[in-house]
Amino acid sequence: MEGLWITKQVRSPYGVGLWRTIRNQWPKLWGNSRIVIGNGRRTSFWKDVWMASYAKETFEFMKLALEQANDALANLEVPVGCVFVEDGEVIASGRNRTTETRNATRHAEMEAIDFLVQQWQKNGLSPLEVSERFSKCILYVTCEPCIMCAAALSYLGIKEAYYGCANDKFGGCGSVLSLHTSSSNLPTSELASSKKGFKCTGGIMASEAVSLLRSFYEQGNPNAPKPHRPLKQKV
Amino acid sequence: MENTESVLPLVCKIIHIPEKPSFLPHLQPTVNVLASVIEPKDANTLVRKLNKIAPLENLQHVKRVQKKSIDGGKPQLSLLLCMTVGNDDGNDCMQYEILELVKSYQLSTFITKVCKYAATSKEEWDEQCKLWPTSGITGFSEDESQSVFGFMRHTINLATSSIGQVVNAAVIVDPSTKQVIASACDQVISSASLASGVSKEGSCSNYLENLKASNLENQQTSLLDGSISEFKPITNNVACVHPWQWALRSSGCWHPLQHAAIVAIEYSAARDLKLFPDHKALSPLKRQKIEESGFQSIGHSYQSLRPYLCTGYDIYLAWEPCAMCAMALVHQRVRRIFFSSPNFSAGALGSVHRLQGERSLNHHYAVFRVVLPEEVFRNKVVDGKTSGSG
C-alpha cells in the first residue's frame, strides 16, 4: 500500500506539512474517503473549496456579507450577514436584527429583501417587474439560509445563493430541508411549474463565518431566556 | 385519558397533527422490547429500580407494567425491562444492571412488541393496548375547547371578511389570559385592489364550499392524499397556499412575503417593544455592562415580566402555514398552532412538510387542526361569542 494508496513516510522537514498531516492521520482520512472510478484519463484526489475554484468576486462579495455579520456581532446580534448582487453590483445588504426588533424572524436575508421590495416599490415597479429583478439576484450570506429564509428566497425566485457555513439545525438549503430545489411532491403539475428553485453553493469562507458565530455564543446570547442558555460567567 | 370527541358536539373537533405521518390504527410501527413476567409483590420495587437504570426515554407513552388476567381471573403482571438493541437477541446487549436484576429476581425474559409512537386517536390507542398498554391521548377540557373554537371563529371571520376576499388570517393569543396579542391578514396584495373584488357574501360561501369539501373527506387521510386542484380558484389569494404566485397580482401596496403569520409576528414584536420599552432604551452594550456589574436583579425583573418572543402563546390560522410561516413560528417560539384548513400545495405542518417532526429544530410546537361546523361560516357575523375579548 505504501507509496501507492498511502503516501510514504514523510522525512523532509520543509514544504510537506500537508502530506505529513495526511500520513499521520491516515486512518481518519481513509475512513472518510471513497474511491470513484472515472474514465481513467486523469486522477483527482479530492474536490476542495479553494480560492481558484470560484471567481474572485465570489469571495469579495462574501467578505461584504461577513462585514455585515461583524456589524451584527458588534450590536449583540447573532452574527449573520448578507448582500444581494444584481449584474455584479451590490444592491442591498442586511444583517440579523432579531434582538433589537424582538422579532426572531428578522434575519439578514429578510432585512435585505424588505429593503429591496420597498426600494423597487418606491420606483413604481409592478409585481411582475419586481419578480424579474429578483430573478437576476445572487445572494451571498455567511450562513446557510434557514427554512424560513430558504422558502422566502424560493417564493421570490432568486437566481442563485452562496453561503458560508452550513446550518445543521435550521438549514433550508440541504441541511434539514431542501427548499432551494424545485422538485417536490406536489400533487398537481400545474402548481409545480410555478414553483421556483435556485442554485445554491455552500462552504464559501465558512471558517470565517463559523468563528464569528462561535465568538457570539461564547459570550452567551443575551436575548435568550434565563434557563434556556445561561450566560457564561466571566472570570 | 379522556377522548374529547365524545364530549363535544360532533361538528366541532380539534385534531392533533402529530410529528409523524398517520398510520392506519392496526399498522402502527412497533419496536421490540425485553419483558418478563414478575411476582406482583415485586412490581413496585422493580419499576422504581428500572426507572432509574433504564428509563424509557424514547417510549414515554409506553407503560412499564402489563396486567393480564389469565384463566381463573388471577392477574398476571409483565414488566417491560428495556428496549432491545440491534439484533433481537436481548440477552447479548442487556445492560449490566438489568442483567443483575434479572438474576436476583430470577426473571425469565421474553421479547415483545410495543408501539413506537404515542397514540393520536382513540382508535390508535385501542390498537396499541392490544400489544402493550400505553398512555391514552390527552385531550382538551370542555372549557379549553370552547375557547379554541371561539378563537378559530374569530380567525375565520378575519380571513373571510376583513378585506372582502378569502385570505389567510393569523391571531396570536395568550391562552393564560385569553387575550389577543396580535392579529393580521395576508398583506401580499393590496387591500385597495381587493376591495373592488367579490362581495363579502360571495367570498364567505366560497370559503364554506372549500371547507365543506375538505371536511367531507376522512379527517385522517385528508391530510395525506387530498387534492387542491378543484378548489384552486377559491384559495387564489391565500398567500400560504400560493406563495410563488405573488407576481401575478395587481400592483399597489403589496409585499410578496407579508403572509398573515409573518405580519402577526411583526405586530406582536412591536407590541412587546411598546409595552416594555425600557429594555430597549438602554443600548445593548450598556445593558450588558449593567448586568455584568451586579445590577442583575433589575435586568431579571424585566426579563421575568416581559414574555420572551411568543413563548407560551398560541396562534390561530385559517390555513395551514407554508414553510416560511411555519419556520417563522418556530423562531418566534409559539407554543401551539391551530389551523382550520389544510394546505396541500405548500403546507408545512403535515401536508407537504412536517416541521413539528424535525427533531433538529431548537423549538417544537404542538399542531392542531380545528374543524368547525358549517354554520360558523354562514352566520359568522351574527355569532356573538366569536370575539376572543381583548
Side-chain angles (χ1 to χ4, degrees), chain A residues 102 104 114 121 154-155 186 223, chain B residues 244 246 254-255 308 332 345:
Chain A
R102 297 189 199 168
D114 279 3
Q121 264 180 12
S154 150
Y155 300 163
L186 281 176
N223 195 37
Chain B
W244 290 276
W246 56 273
W254 50 273
H255 187 302
Y308 175 63
Q332 202 68 4
S345 64

Side-chain angles (χ1 to χ4, degrees), chain B residues 206-342:
Chain B
N206 278 347
Y207 184 84
L208 173 66
E209 274 162 32
N210 179 18
L211 210 91
K212 223 196 304 185
S214 57
N215 282 348
L216 280 174
E217 300 170 59
N218 180 306
Q219 306 296 354
Q220 294 297 325
T221 55
S222 66
L223 277 179
L224 299 172
D225 50 25
S227 158
I228 188 101
S229 53
E230 39 192 313
F231 315 124
K232 205 182 156 205
I234 307 153
T235 62
N236 254 351
N237 291 315
V238 178
C240 280
V241 179
H242 299 293
W244 290 276
Q245 285 169 12
W246 56 273
L248 306 175
R249 313 279 182 246
S250 51
S251 52
C253 181
W254 50 273
H255 187 302
L257 304 179
Q258 291 283 30
H259 295 201
I262 300 284
V263 184
I265 288 173
E266 252 173 56
Y267 290 168
S268 79
R271 174 187 178 272
D272 185 15
L273 276 173
K274 201 177 159 196
L275 288 180
F276 306 96
D278 310 45
H279 218 68
K280 189 210 169 194
L282 297 171
S283 77
L285 269 173
K286 219 172 179 179
R287 191 169 76 217
Q288 201 189 33
K289 267 184 197 155
I290 290 176
E291 280 169 11
E292 275 170 14
S293 63
F295 285 99
Q296 281 180 343
S297 55
I298 301 170
H300 287 181
S301 63
Y302 275 126
Q303 291 275 348
S304 59
L305 267 176
R306 84 173 175 89
Y308 175 63
L309 305 176
C310 284
T311 308
Y313 292 169
D314 296 338
I315 188 164
Y316 292 80
L317 293 157
W319 298 88
E320 177 188 356
C322 66
M324 177 181 72
C325 293
M327 191 60 201
L329 295 169
V330 171
H331 286 318
Q332 202 68 4
R333 304 284 201 279
V334 165
R335 185 175 74 135
R336 295 184 298 189
I337 298 178
F338 299 92
F339 67 80
S340 173
S341 303

Side-chain angles (χ1 to χ4, degrees), chain A residues 157-231:
Chain A
I158 66 160
K159 184 181 172 193
E160 203 175 345
Y162 290 95
Y163 65 81
C165 56
N167 187 343
D168 294 341
K169 283 184 175 162
F170 310 124
C173 295
S175 290
V176 181
L177 295 182
S178 293
L179 297 163
H180 61 299
T181 57
S182 50
S183 64
S184 150
N185 47 350
L186 281 176
T188 50
S189 54
E190 202 185 329
L191 278 169
S193 68
S194 63
K195 187 177 172 179
K196 300 161 205 155
F198 54 93
K199 197 182 155 209
C200 200
T201 312
I204 313 291
M205 302 179 84
S207 56
E208 284 88 339
V210 170
S211 71
L212 276 175
L213 286 166
R214 195 168 290 148
S215 54
F216 176 80
Y217 285 110
E218 270 165 14
Q219 81 184 12
N221 182 352
N223 195 37
K226 212 60 198 161
H228 199 81
R229 192 181 287 127
L231 280 166

Side-chain angles (χ1 to χ4, degrees), chain B residues 37-200:
Chain B
V37 174
I38 53 163
E39 289 295 322
K41 64 177 167 59
D42 296 332
N44 273 339
T45 332
L46 279 169
V47 167
R48 214 175 309 128
K49 281 184 178 169
L50 276 171
N51 281 343
K52 218 177 214 171
I53 60 175
L56 296 173
E57 270 157 5
N58 294 320
L59 297 172
Q60 297 280 359
H61 59 286
V62 178
K63 296 203 168 161
R64 201 102 216 190
V65 178
Q66 184 188 42
K67 195 175 175 181
K68 256 187 194 167
S69 23
I70 44 170
D71 33 43
K74 209 178 117 204
Q76 185 200 52
L77 294 190
S78 301
L79 178 70
L80 196 165
L81 297 172
C82 60
M83 285 179 75
T84 61
V85 191
N87 60 357
D88 285 350
D89 188 7
N91 287 321
D92 279 350
C93 45
M94 214 192 297
Q95 209 178 315
Y96 173 73
E97 290 94 333
I98 294 176
L99 214 61
E100 287 289 294
L101 221 61
V102 170
K103 270 185 200 158
S104 59
Y105 285 85
Q106 292 182 325
L107 304 176
S108 57
T109 61
F110 61 90
I111 288 172
T112 187
K113 286 184 191 305
V114 301
C115 279
K116 195 174 175 185
Y117 302 107
T120 55
S121 68
K122 179 86 168 59
E123 292 74 29
E124 278 189 18
W125 184 54
D126 287 345
E127 283 297 322
Q128 295 204 338
C129 292
K130 286 179 192 167
L131 287 176
W132 189 276
T134 59
S135 45
I137 47 171
T138 46
F140 287 78
S141 70
E142 175 70 31
D143 189 43
E144 202 176 0
S145 303
Q146 286 313 319
S147 154
V148 166
F149 297 140
F151 281 120
M152 188 50 86
R153 284 195 187 99
H154 176 63
T155 308
I156 285 165
N157 281 352
L158 271 176
T160 51
S161 61
S162 62
I163 54 171
Q165 203 154 0
V166 181
V167 291
N168 204 353
V171 178
I172 298 176
V173 172
D174 180 351
S176 62
T177 58
K178 299 199 172 160
Q179 190 188 9
V180 173
I181 300 294
S183 58
C185 287
D186 285 338
Q187 294 180 5
V188 173
I189 22 173
S190 77
S191 46
S193 63
L194 269 178
S196 56
V198 191
S199 73
K200 256 190 201 175

Side-chain angles (χ1 to χ4, degrees), chain A:
Chain A
M1 286 292 267
E2 189 170 293
L4 292 165
W5 287 108
I6 309 179
T7 68
K8 285 181 184 163
Q9 186 74 47
V10 181
R11 295 202 177 82
S12 164
Y14 303 111
V16 287
L18 177 67
W19 292 106
R20 197 195 308 279
T21 312
I22 288 175
R23 170 73 202 206
N24 290 345
Q25 300 187 12
W26 180 255
K28 207 171 170 186
L29 178 82
W30 190 240
N32 289 302
S33 306
R34 73 196 163 101
I35 296 170
V36 180
I37 303 186
N39 57 13
R41 276 195 295 180
R42 65 188 192 127
T43 317
S44 164
F45 279 101
W46 58 70
K47 216 180 149 192
D48 202 351
V49 179
W50 203 243
M51 288 294 190
S53 318
Y54 295 100
K56 188 167 159 256
E57 57 166 32
T58 307
F59 293 91
E60 295 301 319
F61 289 133
M62 190 57 84
K63 270 185 203 158
L64 294 177
L66 283 161
E67 265 173 38
Q68 289 290 317
N70 246 318
D71 185 41
L73 185 69
N75 288 282
L76 297 182
E77 299 274 2
V78 178
V80 178
C82 75
V83 292
F84 273 85
V85 173
E86 184 190 29
D87 300 333
E89 262 181 66
V90 175
I91 52 166
S93 62
R95 60 133 169 113
N96 227 309
R97 269 182 215 279
T98 53
T99 306
E100 178 195 327
T101 56
R102 297 189 199 168
N103 181 342
T105 70
R106 298 313 299 168
H107 289 184
E109 298 93 322
M110 293 303 211
E111 288 283 320
I113 290 166
D114 279 3
F115 170 82
L116 284 177
V117 171
Q118 266 173 26
Q119 194 77 7
W120 286 335
Q121 264 180 12
K122 222 187 274 169
N123 297 344
L125 267 64
S126 72
L128 263 175
E129 288 167 323
V130 167
S131 170
E132 235 162 71
R133 294 290 294 271
F134 271 121
S135 71
K136 292 195 282 176
C137 281
I138 302 177
L139 168 73
Y140 296 83
V141 57
T142 58
C143 185
E144 178 187 351
C146 76
I147 291 169
M148 172 186 75
C149 292
L153 294 167
S154 150
Y155 300 163
L156 298 175
I158 66 160
K159 184 181 172 193
E160 203 175 345
Y162 290 95
Y163 65 81
C165 56
N167 187 343
D168 294 341
K169 283 184 175 162
F170 310 124
C173 295
S175 290
V176 181
L177 295 182
S178 293
L179 297 163
H180 61 299
T181 57
S182 50
S183 64
S184 150
N185 47 350
L186 281 176
T188 50
S189 54
E190 202 185 329
L191 278 169
S193 68
S194 63
K195 187 177 172 179
K196 300 161 205 155
F198 54 93
K199 197 182 155 209
C200 200
T201 312
I204 313 291
M205 302 179 84
S207 56
E208 284 88 339
V210 170
S211 71
L212 276 175
L213 286 166
R214 195 168 290 148
S215 54
F216 176 80
Y217 285 110
E218 270 165 14
Q219 81 184 12
N221 182 352
N223 195 37
K226 212 60 198 161
H228 199 81
R229 192 181 287 127
L231 280 166
K232 266 195 183 165
Q233 289 299 317
K234 287 205 173 159
V235 190

